[in-house]
Amino acid sequence: QGGTSWVIYENLALKYGAAHGFGGGGTHHLIIRDCDIAWIGGADQYGDGTRRVRFGNGIEFWGSAHDNLVERCRLWEIYDAALTNQNGGAVAKEYNLTYRNNIIWNSEYSFEYWNRPEASETYHIRFVNNTCLNAGHGWGHAQRPDPSGRHLCFYTSPAQAHDILIANNIFDEATKNAFYAPTWSAEAVAALQMDHNLWRQQEGVMISVCGRSYTQADFGKYQAELSKEPHSLTGDPRLVAPERGDYRLAPGSPCRNAGMDVGLTRDFAGTAVPQGAAPDLGAYE
């Protein structure tokens, strides 16, 4: 869909693609909603005798992209990122991109971002009220040349970036890191507006940012040292039955009434938001 604009993609099931589910650069004013995207990517794309390239994202906005919306989609078994906006090469602006009320599981990355070169710019990105589970637990993980498994994967990105909101999400278990931005400076991480998320990663380094590493037990230290996420939580999100694909919040879930107002009026199922004193975390109210 390179160069495509003013299109609505709705109620599609896209599966078994060798590269991307939705790909293409130079897009704007797209809506992708209520789609199932699965078993995407991982094919041998190109290369020479010494290096082969494999990739594949569920929904990718490449290069200059703006005013695009992804909502109420389910994405699973994605070789690379379930959702991503990224750029490399030409100067590009990426802005007014919203990902909300999506359910993601068993993808190598739930959300990946980077923008190069330095003259590029990224702003007004919204990643809100998404339920993300088991990053790196998918079909492609073990056969990758670089197995990782991360919910938020932010590679080196020298472009100017501001007004990026990551809020009201559930990030539950990853094989490597739940939040990965090791080469980002403290100033760049400070520009990320992150709060009211729930994190769980019971083993290993949960957060790798600014050359620092934090386990789940170190979450308070991460909050203090980087002045991040004062209202975010760690622990079991208490979903009804994720093993059966039921990602609703069970009674007593810490995600209930733990969110902030990000302007949503309906959840993944169409339920009005909020039902209690405040919005809930994740795709389901």
Side-chain angles (χ1 to χ4, degrees), residues 25-49:
T27 62
H28 64 89
H29 291 92
L30 302 183
I31 297 175
I32 304 173
R33 66 186 178 205
D34 300 315
C35 292
D36 278 0
I37 304 166
W39 303 100
I40 293 295
D44 183 356
Q45 306 292 346
Y46 61 87
D48 54 30

Side-chain angles (χ1 to χ4, degrees), residues 111-168:
F111 178 55
E112 178 185 357
Y113 163 72
W114 48 275
N115 192 355
R116 309 166 192 145
E118 189 175 354
S120 295
E121 187 176 9
T122 304
Y123 61 93
H124 202 251
I125 309 299
R126 299 288 180 264
F127 190 86
V128 296
N129 284 95
N130 301 290
T131 297
C132 307
L133 301 96
N134 297 328
H137 288 240
W139 69 272
H141 179 77
Q143 58 181 283
R144 292 177 59 93
D146 57 344
S148 48
R150 300 170 177 127
H151 284 302
L152 300 180
C153 185
F154 294 173
Y155 288 120
T156 300
S157 183
Q160 305 170 61
H162 55 94
D163 193 19
I164 298 175
L165 177 65
I166 301 171
N168 292 4

